[in-house]
Amino acid sequence: MMVEDYKITSFCSIKDNKVIVDNKVLYVHEAQGTVKEFTKAIYKSLGIKYPKFYKMDTLCKLGFLATEALLQKGNELDDRTALVLSNRSSSLSTDRIHQESIKDKEDYFPSPAVFVYTLPNIVLGEISIRHQFKGENAFFVSEQFDAKLLTDYSRLLLDTNKASNVICGWVNLDSNKYDVFLAIISRKGNTILTEEQLNKLYHT
């Protein structure tokens, strides 16, 4: 059986106060501040109009913004696009906020708006709603960026025709430390998808 060569069509990273798409710097945040302030600045710089953004937790904002940056580069994806994401910290940053709201029995006031985001896969939902993606999705928690898992799972979805394209990658947030890398996997592009190539792009 011949193995089809899928391609890494485009990729985006958000780290070190920068948004980079296909090795080109899209935005640099000069001011020192919180990751929340950084995400708000990216949102404004990309010219997005999506009021629901402000209701998202920070993990969702990071995944949402990386996807927006990819799609603003002319990467048009249909509704059969799948999402395969992973991270190390799950939804820990929001979990801490939720825990603070329930730890004191005398001042017990959990917020439904916060509780909703105590699952890491909610970022998949926010991206899917925004872009009307109806393909399969999965969110894995692993110790570190696992290029083999992302490559194998993306290939499986494309091989079995469960998806026309896959957005895969790493969206990690722990307190004020963030690390985001997303890639579009499809049949279009010049860079052949391999575990080694995906790993190389993530670490670049």
Side-chain angles (χ1 to χ4, degrees):
M1 180 179 175
M2 192 174 78
V3 177
E4 184 169 356
D5 281 335
Y6 298 114
K7 308 296 196 306
I8 301 172
T9 307
S10 189
F11 60 94
C12 172
S13 68
I14 301 178
K15 59 182 73 173
D16 301 326
N17 284 351
K18 295 177 184 176
V19 180
I20 298 173
V21 178
D22 299 335
N23 288 324
K24 295 180 181 177
V25 177
L26 199 65
Y27 175 73
V28 179
H29 192 57
E30 303 291 352
Q32 295 299 316
T34 65
V35 64
K36 188 174 182 180
E37 293 166 340
F38 177 44
T39 56
K40 185 176 179 180
I42 298 170
Y43 175 84
K44 289 184 176 180
S45 76
L46 294 177
I48 304 165
K49 304 295 183 187
Y50 192 66
K52 193 181 177 186
F53 173 82
Y54 293 101
K55 297 180 180 179
M56 297 178 194
D57 78 334
T58 307
L59 183 69
C60 284
K61 287 177 179 177
L62 287 166
F64 175 91
L65 290 168
T67 305
E68 291 294 311
L70 279 173
L71 297 184
Q72 282 197 0
K73 294 296 286 185
N75 298 303
E76 294 184 8
L77 303 180
D78 62 27
D79 64 358
R80 294 184 61 246
T81 297
L83 300 171
V84 182
L85 303 184
S86 60
N87 74 7
R88 179 176 58 251
S89 302
S90 187
S91 56
L92 188 58
S93 288
T94 300
D95 295 347
R96 291 190 185 110
I97 296 170
H98 178 63
Q99 177 61 29
E100 282 296 313
S101 72
I102 65 173
K103 71 177 184 179
D104 186 350
K105 291 183 179 179
E106 301 301 319
D107 188 26
Y108 185 86
F109 196 72
S111 166
V114 172
F115 178 72
V116 165
Y117 291 95
T118 56
L119 289 171
N121 65 323
I122 298 301
V123 66
L124 300 170
E126 294 288 13
I127 294 169
S128 296
I129 291 167
R130 162 69 165 165
H131 296 288
Q132 294 298 296
F133 294 152
K134 299 183 175 94
E136 291 200 18
N137 59 58
F139 200 114
F140 299 97
V141 177
S142 55
E143 189 61 32
Q144 59 190 8
F145 179 78
D146 190 339
K148 185 178 189 310
L149 171 66
L150 296 172
T151 300
D152 289 350
Y153 205 96
S154 296
R155 280 186 178 282
L156 178 64
L157 291 172
L158 294 167
D159 282 345
T160 56
N161 202 31
K162 294 285 180 62
S164 53
N165 311 278
V166 180
I167 295 177
C168 72
W170 181 258
V171 184
N172 194 63
L173 172 71
D174 189 354
S175 297
N176 213 37
K177 297 177 181 177
Y178 58 91
D179 180 15
V180 180
F181 172 82
L182 296 185
I184 297 174
I185 311 301
S186 72
R187 292 173 173 83
K188 300 176 183 177
N190 299 315
T191 305
I192 294 176
L193 171 66
T194 64
E195 175 189 341
E196 294 75 19
Q197 186 62 43
L198 198 64
N199 210 33
K200 178 182 176 182
L201 292 176
Y202 168 70
H203 288 287
T204 298

